[in-house]
């Protein structure tokens, strides 16, 4: 069976007319003979929308009861049984009532689509899951009902229902959206012009991106290589030179002239990894383009113009921005340059801008000598082999060995050239070829001891020798450099893999990262410096190494800037330029780690402050009500007893005194829990662990509940437990009192215990209303009372204190469902092992 098609009407805000447009489309399809039904449409008592339902078949809704109230939801089974061609399903992000077939309405729609039914639905932009934070920052309201973006993106057709903010506010003022008593509040809050404008822009941009995806998909399927200028995309070609910043800013200005312009900076490097680009300058340019709203791309390509044009056509760019070449005039004899080649091959559908800059015509500079990568000692040995080696070989051939022939002499000198190339690179090998050819001519080519060559064949032989020597030297040098580059790239890849792994693992130790930098580059010390402004002094955010840390980046042997106000400073030696690329990655990661540490610290502080504020608020509420209630009863009873206007009988006096005693006990219990919670939060609870039997403590914990409200089942065969008796008694007492509070009067609470492996479990079982799974952890938080607990029944600290005492003794406390209904508190305690020392001298009370 073919999957059904999904059509979505997307709006920027409630009231723009999504449901009205959906119903209008349904009427058009019915007129064309399409079998179309209303599976679920919410008209919100809007007269014009309600009228549009007339003439359309509606599937009866399914009624569900939840917490004593009857709700209606879409009847998925009825729609599947009806099997229409098209079903109208309003409000795609809606959350279904518990007990429904699926948790979310979009899951119901997925079932209809899987059954081959076409669906038309509606969504507001604020309900897209990825935009939740953005919408909350705009409107101040967090949307609870959301739909995954992928569900909407998979729609076969998305139609934007657009309306300007003034028109929508007029519709609101006329009472076409909300009832008159809600219009003023809506216009002054959610429907403010700024909110509506921002939401409208979000909707337009989201749909524009979706349209762009459709266009890219279409071009790919139909193999369209020609550029379609549907949207201004400007590609900036970067070389890593200082002119890159000028090009980026010029491209951004070009993009701002048209609506929806996009800037994409691209740097093309050769596949062999050889480049004259400055990693430091590229990092600065990448930050600049991202700060200006563009994107940065790194592309590998040996033919730079071709790679640049392929990239531009691949992203459907309309313009390319390049800088005027930095080459001097005489250098154009080697070719027209990248800019001229790109302009020639771009074609009529791609505009090329050549931007002048301060570096134009100043030259690209000489490349770094490759021999410096081989080390000073190897270069010296290479020159010795290239210059001194042929001389020694000549001495050996002329004075020690007999005549071996010109051909063998050439092979020996060629071997010396290869050795020079292996040791010192290209230039010592070229010197060896020149010196060898001269020595061959002087000593071994007739007539000897003169540079004149009598036989033309010898001239050809020596020329071939020089050519072969130069060629072999070049190949050997290239192979040596490739080997060096491969080893270096492998090391770089391992280092970058480590950095990527540390990001994925969420490692946040700045000192560990700096120590890794110190070890990788063999430095004596590494420090991360930062400052608040361009004129503020530098401060050290973190450092490692035995040497004193530097006070400024300029004082270090190597410094790598990270943005404008942070730098990584290394002391010990000067690094070659090729090491700075990896070092820049380390510097960027160090800045990320530092920011993550600070954000985590701020989050922890905010969490602690929020928790403190919540507890403080709850404590004030408890003091204002739960503590005042027993105090008011005590004061009323005392005032009555002291009153001379009434002659109290002995029975009345006894009842008043009992009320005073009950109120005092209640106050003592509340204050005790408050003090216990304070001790737990400040970490001042010190359990005194000793070996005891449960039947020595558990019965004492039932003294605070009415007789007959709890039953005990503690086997005598249980092992002893290692606990603090005082803390255990108070924890169990809180659990039992809480269970009795919620359990029916005719259902006593069961307190049982059992042994499992190396622990003992105490279970407090009640037959009350129970607690849903999502609330089982929340009931252990301070000042939490689940359900309809009566006021004055406590401040919600009992379970929090019980769990705190359990964990202080090395145990756990969790909540489980009671089979047949109710809640079971499971208190797990460590059983006494044979290795645990016995300490009978400790008292049975806890101190703090």
């Amino acid at each position: 069976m073919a999957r059904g098609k999904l059509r979505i009407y997307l709006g920027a805000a409630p009231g723009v007319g999504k449901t009205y447009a959906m119903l209008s489309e349904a009427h058009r399809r019915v007129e064309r003979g399409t079998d179309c039904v209303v599976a679920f449409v919410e008209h919100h008592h809007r007269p014009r929308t309600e009228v549009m339902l007339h003439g359309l078949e509606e599937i009866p809704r399914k009624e569900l009861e939840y917490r004593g109230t009857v709700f209606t939801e879409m009847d998925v089974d009825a729609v599947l049984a009806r099997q229409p061609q098209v079903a109208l399903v309003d409000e795609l992000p809606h959350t279904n009532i518990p007990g429904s077939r699926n948790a979310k309405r979009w899951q119901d729609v997925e079932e209809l689509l899987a059954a081959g039914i076409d669906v038309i639905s509606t969504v507001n932009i604020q309900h897209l899951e990825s935009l939740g934070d953005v919408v909350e920052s705009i409107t101040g309201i967090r949307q609870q009902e959301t739909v995954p973006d992928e569900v909407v993106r998979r729609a076969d057709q998305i139609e934007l229902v657009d309306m300007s903010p003034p028109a929508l506010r007029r519709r609101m003022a006329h009472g076409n959206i909300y009832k008159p008593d809600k219009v003023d509040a809506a216009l002054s809050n959610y429907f403010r012009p700024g909110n509506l404008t921002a939401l409208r822009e979000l909707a337009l941009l989201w749909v524009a991106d979706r349209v762009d995806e459709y266009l890219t998909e279409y071009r790919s399927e139909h193999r369209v290589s020609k550029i379609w200028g549907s949207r201004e995309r400007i590609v900036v070609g970067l070389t890593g030179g200082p002119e890159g910043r000028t090009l980026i800013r010029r491209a951004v200005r070009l993009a701002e002239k048209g609506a929806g312009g996009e800037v994409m900076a691209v740097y093309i490097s050769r596949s062999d990894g050889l480049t004259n680009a400055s990693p430091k300058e590229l990092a600065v340019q990448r930050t600049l383009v991202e700060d200006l709203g563009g994107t940065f791309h790194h592309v590998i390509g040996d033919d730079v113009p071709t790679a640049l044009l392929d990239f531009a056509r691949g992203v459907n760019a309309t313009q390319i921005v390049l800088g005027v070449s930095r080459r001097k005039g005489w250098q154009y004899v080697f070719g027209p340059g990248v800019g001229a080649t790109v302009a020639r091959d771009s074609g009529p559908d791609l505009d090329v801008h050549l931007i002048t800059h301060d570096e134009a015509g100043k030259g690209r500079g000489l490349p770094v000598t490759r021999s410096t990568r081989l080390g000073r000692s190897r270069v010296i040995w290479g020159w010795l082999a290239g210059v001194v080696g042929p001389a020694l070989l000549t001495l050996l051939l002329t004075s020690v060995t007999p005549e071996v022939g010109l051909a063998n002499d050439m092979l020996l000198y060629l071997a010396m050239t290869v050795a020079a190339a292996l040791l010192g690179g290209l230039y010592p090998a070229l010197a060896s070829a020149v010196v060898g050819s001269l020595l061959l001519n002087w000593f071994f080519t007739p007539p000897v001891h003169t540079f004149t060559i009598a036989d033309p064949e010898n001239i050809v032989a020596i020329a071939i020798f020089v050519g072969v020597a130069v060629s072999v030297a070049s190949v050997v040098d290239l192979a040596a450099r490739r080997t060096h580059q491969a080893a270096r790239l492998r090391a770089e890849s391992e280092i970058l893999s480590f950095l990527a792994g540390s990001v994925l693992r969420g490692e946040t130790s700045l000192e560990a990262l700096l120590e890794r930098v110190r070890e990788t580059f063999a430095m004596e010390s590494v420090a991360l410096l930062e400052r608040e402004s361009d004129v503020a002094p530098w401060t050290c955010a973190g450092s490692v190494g035995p040497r004193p840390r530097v006070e400024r980046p300029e004082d270090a042997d190597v410094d790598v800037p990270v943005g404008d106000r942070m730098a990584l400073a290394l002391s010990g030696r000067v690094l070659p330029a090729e090491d700075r690329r990896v070092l820049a990655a380390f510097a960027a990661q160090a800045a990320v780690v530092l920011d993550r540490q600070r954000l985590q610290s701020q989050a922890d502080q905010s969490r602690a402050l929020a928790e403190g504020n919540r507890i403080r608020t709850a404590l004030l509420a408890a003091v204002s009500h739960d503590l005042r209630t027993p105090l008011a009863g005590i004061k009323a009873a005392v005032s009555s007893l002291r009153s001379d206007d009434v002659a109290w009988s002995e029975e009345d006096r006894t009842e008043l005194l009992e009320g005073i005693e009950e109120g005092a006990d209640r106050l003592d219990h509340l204050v005790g829990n408050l003090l216990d919670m304070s001790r737990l939060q400040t970490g001042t609870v010190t359990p005194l662990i000793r070996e005891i039997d449960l039947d020595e403590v558990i019965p004492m914990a039932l003294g605070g509940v009415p007789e007959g409200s709890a039953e005990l089942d503690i086997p005598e065969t249980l092992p002893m437990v290692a606990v603090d008796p005082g803390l255990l008694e108070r924890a169990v007492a809180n659990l039992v009192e809480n269970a009795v509070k919620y359990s029916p009067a005719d259902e006593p609470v069961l307190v049982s215990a059992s042994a499992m492996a190396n622990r003992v479990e105490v279970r407090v079982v009640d037959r009350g209303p129970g607690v849903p799974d999502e609330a089982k952890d929340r009931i252990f938080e301070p000042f939490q009372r689940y359900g309809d607990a009566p006021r004055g029944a406590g401040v919600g600290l009992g379970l929090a204190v019980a769990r705190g005492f359990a964990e202080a003794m090395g145990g756990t406390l969790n909540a489980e469902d009671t089979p047949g209904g109710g809640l079971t508190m499971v208190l797990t305690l460590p059983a006494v092992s044979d290795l645990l020392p016995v300490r009978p001298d400790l008292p049975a009370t806890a101190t703090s």
Side-chain angles (χ1 to χ4, degrees), residues 556-688:
D557 295 317
V558 180
D559 70 285
V560 180
V562 187
D564 296 332
R565 299 179 181 178
M566 193 174 294
L568 188 66
L570 296 84
S571 301
R573 66 187 180 95
V574 177
L575 292 178
E578 58 265 25
D579 285 343
R580 290 180 177 268
R581 179 173 56 182
V582 177
L583 187 58
F586 270 110
Q589 177 64 8
V592 170
V593 168
L594 180 61
D595 289 342
R596 185 185 298 141
Q597 283 184 344
R598 289 176 174 171
L599 290 174
Q600 184 63 42
S601 176
Q602 293 174 3
D604 293 340
Q605 293 176 3
S606 300
R607 193 178 300 111
L609 290 174
E611 180 66 15
N613 289 335
R614 189 183 66 80
I615 293 177
R616 187 180 300 109
T617 302
L619 178 59
L620 291 174
V623 171
S624 64
H625 187 280
D626 296 283
L627 295 182
R628 290 181 61 185
T629 300
L631 279 175
I634 293 174
K635 186 177 186 309
V638 171
S639 299
S640 299
L641 289 174
R642 295 189 59 188
S643 175
D644 297 332
D645 299 336
V646 180
W648 302 101
S649 64
E650 190 64 28
E651 183 178 351
D652 293 335
R653 293 174 63 85
T654 301
E655 184 177 352
L656 289 173
L657 290 173
E658 288 178 353
I660 294 173
E661 183 178 14
E662 181 182 351
D665 291 340
R666 206 157 142 205
L667 272 178
D668 179 68
H669 179 74
L670 292 174
V671 173
N673 276 338
L674 287 171
L675 294 176
D676 290 339
M677 196 68 244
S678 175
R679 292 165 56 204
L680 286 170
Q681 290 186 338
T682 55
T684 56
V685 174
T686 306
L688 300 176

Side-chain angles (χ1 to χ4, degrees), residues 528-550:
L528 184 63
L529 306 178
E530 62 175 347
R531 59 182 176 180
E532 296 181 356
S533 64
D534 295 339
V535 297
W538 291 93
T539 59
C540 182
S543 64
V544 295
R547 283 183 55 175
R549 62 172 181 260
V550 296

Side-chain angles (χ1 to χ4, degrees), residues 788-800:
D788 300 325
R791 300 297 297 178
V795 294
L797 286 174
L799 296 182

Side-chain angles (χ1 to χ4, degrees), residues 422-592:
L422 288 173
L423 289 173
L426 179 61
Y427 297 117
L430 293 178
S432 176
V434 172
V435 173
S437 64
L438 294 176
L439 291 175
L440 276 171
N441 188 3
W442 183 267
F443 288 99
F444 303 103
T445 305
V448 295
H449 304 301
T450 178
F451 288 111
T452 302
I453 302 176
D455 190 350
E457 293 181 359
N458 291 338
I459 296 177
V460 174
I462 291 180
I464 292 175
F465 164 77
V466 173
V468 170
V470 172
S471 301
V472 170
S474 300
V475 171
V476 171
D477 175 70
L478 181 62
R481 285 192 287 112
R482 290 292 186 270
T483 303
H484 171 80
Q485 292 161 9
R488 179 173 186 83
L489 291 174
R490 182 179 64 181
E492 289 183 3
S493 65
E494 292 176 354
I495 294 171
L496 295 176
S497 175
F498 162 78
L499 286 177
S502 66
V503 173
L504 294 175
R505 292 188 298 270
E507 296 176 357
T508 57
S509 174
L510 178 61
E511 288 71 20
L513 181 62
L514 296 181
E515 183 63 30
R516 176 80 178 192
V517 175
R518 192 174 74 88
E519 293 176 357
T520 300
F521 297 98
M523 305 300 286
E524 295 184 10
S525 65
V526 179
L528 184 63
L529 306 178
E530 62 175 347
R531 59 182 176 180
E532 296 181 356
S533 64
D534 295 339
V535 297
W538 291 93
T539 59
C540 182
S543 64
V544 295
R547 283 183 55 175
R549 62 172 181 260
V550 296
E551 300 297 333
R552 299 181 306 164
E554 295 82 2
D555 299 334
D557 295 317
V558 180
D559 70 285
V560 180
V562 187
D564 296 332
R565 299 179 181 178
M566 193 174 294
L568 188 66
L570 296 84
S571 301
R573 66 187 180 95
V574 177
L575 292 178
E578 58 265 25
D579 285 343
R580 290 180 177 268
R581 179 173 56 182
V582 177
L583 187 58
F586 270 110
Q589 177 64 8
V592 170

